[in-house]
Amino acid sequence: MALSRREALLLGGAVAIGGAVASSGCGRVAAEVRRRRKTEPWSEPKDPKVARLLDRMTFGWSANEESVYTSLGHQAYVEKQLAMGFQEPLELTLQLQNLDCLRMQGFELIEIPKPRVIQQLQAAAILRAVYSPNQLRERMVDFWSNHFNIYSGKSDAAFYKGNQEELIVRKEALGNFHSMARGMAKSPAMLLYLDNNQNGKKGPNENYARELLELHTLGIHGGYTQEDVQEVSRCLTGWTIEERNPLERLGARDYEPRARGSFWFNKDDHDDGAKIVLGVKIPAGGGVKDGEMVLDIALNHPSTGKHLARKLVMFFTGSRNEALESTVSAAYKSTQGDIKTMVKPILESEFLHSGAPILRRPFEFMCASLRHSAAITDGGNDLQAHLRTLGQAMYEWPMPDGYPTDQLSWTNKVLPRWQFAYDLAHGKIPNTMVQPDSMPIVDGIKSSGSGLSAERQRALALKLSSPQFQYM
Amino acid sequence: MKDTACSSYHSAMSRRTALKLSAAGLVPWLLSGSALSQVKLGDQPRDHALVILFLRGGSDGLNMLVPYTDDHYYKARPSLAIAKPNDGRVNVNLRAEKLTDQFGLHPSLRPLKRWFENGVLSITPAVGSQDTTRSHFEAMSAMERGTATGLSGEPSGWLARYLKRTESPSDTPLRAVAWANTMPDSLLGAPSVTVVSSISDFKLNADEEFIKDLREIYGDPAQSLVTSAGANTLDSLKKIEQLDPANYKPSGGKTYPANAVGAGFKEVACLLKSGLDLEIACLEDTGWDTHFAQGGAEGIHSRGLAAVAESIDTFLTDLGDRATKITLIVMTEFGRTVVENRSLGTDHGRASVFMAFGDVDGGKINGIWPGLSPEQLDGNRDLVPANDYRKVLTQYLAPKMPEIANIWL
């Protein structure tokens, strides 16, 4: 079966990312699906208001997204996005299924060079953000990945990040915040990133305890003190990672089979004295329950709902809105952290459209550009290099607060945006190309241009570089 | 003229400039040794430039400037403490480097000792803000906004306010340059700033038509923050593209270390020597939040300090006489707990060390030392920030930048 340029690109992408040769069976299916799918030719938004709404609910307007939205209407579209009810395209599934970082356990991945694992994680994030029709979930994944930031450069965190992303962030992105936060507290990626694996009774390590209160739950002015940080840290002593092979522990007095690289409560390293956290007494002898109580206290603290509400409203609308925030925060309280119920009022609010313009962050800018131009990409190295220069390589923000959300942080870095826009429009990014409108298909992936006429190249580069396109 | 790639000739000039100069018969003069450093692209050299290196994450001051006569220090840090300068039991390369009868430098900071002895380096211990949250983000927010605590709600940065107060119509966007992923808070609200990942990457590989188009759509800086940033960028681009930082070779025989800090200082030197408008250069480095495996004389922190010390030593050597016309500040948002944690690290504290290089009345330990005995600590835990960072910065900078005294909140 002869492959078209687009089809070959798709396969090439999967191969390049996966590192393993994609079986020709899967590849052919992917190619065939892609070939038969009708894609809208490159065009401009029909309705600017719809474009603005889609820019905020999704990773950017696309002609296809606008048709879906228009045919369903706002209400039904929002409902379907919240329910994650859109069928994932087969070719995306095929592109993702070769990624070791998603299908292997952290300790198995350690055999693979770390840069390659990070490259795969980034590819997965880009591909899903650009191609998944369940766009709202993808936006929420980005939100939570930053809320619970993991720096892939820290010790072995990168190896465990993929698993955490699949089993916690993606699972609960539109699910339950309490479950997500509880999962995070025991996830090897977080235990490694914020050093709780090093938190023991002789000399606690406060790193995770502090960020749990400051960033993940109550928020900086949420009403905790330095003493609370110390007490939380004591409660979490002994929360660590099983480093050993299960067989090495065989015969030990308290042997219980546990996968290497999974959460382990080391009771010998737990400070079992009484503690007081945010005014609540935690009796002595609680063992692993101490940490679980801390999570209960923090998750049910009134500041937590407010903190999340403020961040969510800002994320979608770009502004503060106290009325909307209190609705969201009330939803958090009444549903014990149901994220759908929290997000829905924001998406149904007039403010979603009328809030001040939001500067797209680099990841949003890149995805919006790819969606706007109906580009085909493997999400691989060459695209990632652009994202790094733009300033927002995924999982590469070292501090625990996640990439900045205020626009002034990003405003002054327009040059790499122009370069990206120009390179994308002119077909200068290997393994990424703009949908050729009615171009004859040519073999070969890296050599030829974008498939657009010179005029369209110029127009597209300019469109994506324009001051207007930097906002959503 | 062949193979000039490694010469400092290329450091400051593009081929285009070279051709023009060559025509005027200037090239032999340029290549004659010391004249190289005189190469000017711009005609707006400042009398004084400020370089800031911000160590993000809270660098452990007690592991930078060692209070080696204090028993409390050794008691609090059984694994991390750095041996006294005269401790014969320990390899000399792992001992503190004596500066005064009370303090010594971390062994990795040894390259800085001669600058201290020359009076170029002044060190202030126990510097911090009034922020007690011990949060990175609050403490940085305080220090970068020039406020007592992070709670102020002040939107503008302290350097931005300085730039605004001393603004002149001849300023260019290269007056303040930040080497960073995102704009540092200290420059928030500045009249014009250039943020770069590196100046070697600050170029646009595109056809002339595209650049012409950009000039048109970014022609009205008043339209939005992005249009204003875009107009500034186009302006800076014209200037920076004449530089060749990749082939820059420092004077004085030292080589910048091959790490992020070294690369940053190298580019600052390149820009300073070009005679462009640079007055404020902001560098930053991460990896200073050493809860785990910080180490004492050896470890993560030690490696970070070595990168900083070697970079600064090279930078000051490279600048030569020009070094008197800059002030370099090394700062961090807070220090760390006096007591080590059990993972060979330290947790968030209050006060750390600031270093100032230049015409700063150096060669001594500056400010108040509050002491390390338990009753002298904040909450029995942390070194007290006895020297408010605003006072320290004013002391170091006001002689050259008088308006600094008026920008604190």
Side-chain angles (χ1 to χ4, degrees), chain B residues 146-170:
Chain B
T147 55
T149 70
L151 263 172
S152 66
E154 169 59 39
S156 70
W158 68 280
L159 289 169
R161 293 198 294 278
Y162 170 79
L163 289 163
K164 205 145 201 168
R165 285 182 89 103
T166 53
E167 196 176 356
S168 110
S170 61

Side-chain angles (χ1 to χ4, degrees), chain A residues 195 198 202-203 205-207 210 214 220-221 226 230 269 391 401 409 412-413 419 422 458 462 465, chain B residues 133-135 137-138 151 180-181 183 193 197 204-205 207 209 213 218 291-292 342-343 347-348 381:
Chain A
D195 300 316
Q198 301 292 333
K202 285 185 196 141
N205 186 311
E206 289 172 7
N207 200 5
R210 177 183 306 283
E214 175 180 337
I220 177 71
H221 303 303
Q226 171 60 29
Q230 287 166 231
D269 208 7
D401 57 342
S409 291
N412 285 66
K413 226 170 172 186
Q419 189 70 61
Y422 182 86
R458 181 180 175 187
L462 207 55
S465 309
Chain B
T133 64
R134 295 172 177 81
S135 148
F137 314 106
E138 288 294 288
L151 263 172
N181 232 3
M183 174 115 111
V193 181
S197 307
L204 194 56
N205 298 313
D207 55 63
E209 188 180 51
D213 285 342
Y218 283 85
H291 291 273
F292 170 63
R342 73 121 192 214
S343 40
D347 293 323
H348 301 185
R381 169 189 158 106

Side-chain angles (χ1 to χ4, degrees), chain B residues 1-339:
Chain B
M1 281 304 301
K2 219 177 74 187
D3 192 26
T4 49
C6 293
S7 73
S8 9
Y9 169 71
H10 259 234
S11 68
M13 292 198 309
S14 70
R15 286 185 182 77
R16 211 162 26 161
T17 322
L19 285 173
K20 278 191 214 148
L21 291 169
S22 172
L26 282 170
V27 166
W29 174 79
L30 280 170
L31 290 172
S32 64
S34 66
L36 285 179
S37 59
Q38 307 297 318
V39 174
K40 292 233 165 78
L41 284 173
D43 50 2
Q44 293 175 293
R46 300 268 174 175
D47 294 337
H48 172 258
L50 166 63
V51 183
I52 302 254
L53 171 62
F54 201 112
L55 308 178
R56 295 196 186 277
S59 176
D60 182 18
L62 294 173
N63 210 46
M64 296 166 76
L65 187 67
V66 179
Y68 65 83
T69 54
D70 194 328
D71 287 343
H72 295 292
Y73 167 74
Y74 290 97
K75 220 174 282 168
R77 298 187 165 201
S79 321
L80 300 192
I82 294 172
K84 296 176 201 278
N86 60 357
D87 187 342
R89 297 165 302 173
V90 175
N91 179 322
V92 68
N93 293 322
L94 301 177
R95 295 183 214 157
E97 183 71 29
K98 181 175 173 176
L99 289 184
T100 67
D101 289 339
Q102 192 182 3
F103 293 104
L105 279 177
H106 186 286
S108 290
L109 294 178
R110 195 167 285 143
L112 302 181
K113 190 183 179 186
R114 67 186 178 107
W115 300 102
F116 185 81
E117 288 170 342
N118 292 344
V120 173
L121 164 60
S122 168
I123 305 178
T124 311
V127 188
S129 67
Q130 304 307 306
D131 197 276
T132 56
T133 64
R134 295 172 177 81
S135 148
H136 296 294
F137 314 106
E138 288 294 288
M140 282 194 265
S141 171
M143 248 179 215
E144 295 195 79
R145 286 177 170 79
T147 55
T149 70
L151 263 172
S152 66
E154 169 59 39
S156 70
W158 68 280
L159 289 169
R161 293 198 294 278
Y162 170 79
L163 289 163
K164 205 145 201 168
R165 285 182 89 103
T166 53
E167 196 176 356
S168 110
S170 61
D171 287 351
T172 74
L174 290 176
R175 188 180 172 201
V177 180
W179 279 257
N181 232 3
T182 57
M183 174 115 111
D185 286 358
S186 54
L187 287 166
L188 287 177
S192 58
V193 181
T194 301
V195 180
V196 301
S197 307
S198 87
I199 53 174
S200 341
D201 294 344
F202 201 82
K203 57 186 172 215
L204 194 56
N205 298 313
D207 55 63
E208 283 299 321
E209 188 180 51
F210 180 60
I211 295 167
K212 229 162 61 195
D213 285 342
L214 287 174
R215 286 195 193 289
E216 201 160 303
I217 57 176
Y218 283 85
D220 178 11
Q223 215 175 58
S224 72
L225 289 169
V226 163
T227 42
S228 143
N232 282 342
T233 300
L234 288 165
D235 185 359
S236 297
L237 198 56
K238 267 194 289 192
K239 292 170 177 146
I240 291 185
E241 67 185 1
Q242 299 175 62
L243 300 170
D244 186 10
N247 293 314
Y248 175 80
K249 204 178 160 204
S251 323
K254 286 188 188 287
T255 314
Y256 284 95
N259 52 46
V261 181
F265 274 105
K266 182 173 162 186
E267 294 207 337
V268 174
C270 178
L271 209 49
L272 279 171
K273 287 192 192 177
S274 73
L276 291 171
D277 186 32
L278 186 67
E279 185 185 2
I280 292 177
C282 289
L283 297 172
E284 56 184 51
D285 190 38
T286 56
W288 298 88
D289 188 20
T290 48
H291 291 273
F292 170 63
Q294 167 184 307
E298 296 171 292
I300 292 175
H301 195 239
S302 163
R303 289 196 290 276
L305 293 177
V308 168
E310 286 160 23
S311 300
I312 291 177
D313 186 27
T314 308
F315 178 68
L316 295 173
T317 308
D318 181 13
L319 289 186
D321 293 346
R322 222 182 278 261
T324 55
K325 292 189 167 181
I326 61 121
T327 309
L328 160 62
I329 303 278
V330 181
M331 61 194 289
T332 188
E333 73 262 26
F334 51 54
R336 311 190 68 86
T337 45
V338 176
V339 175

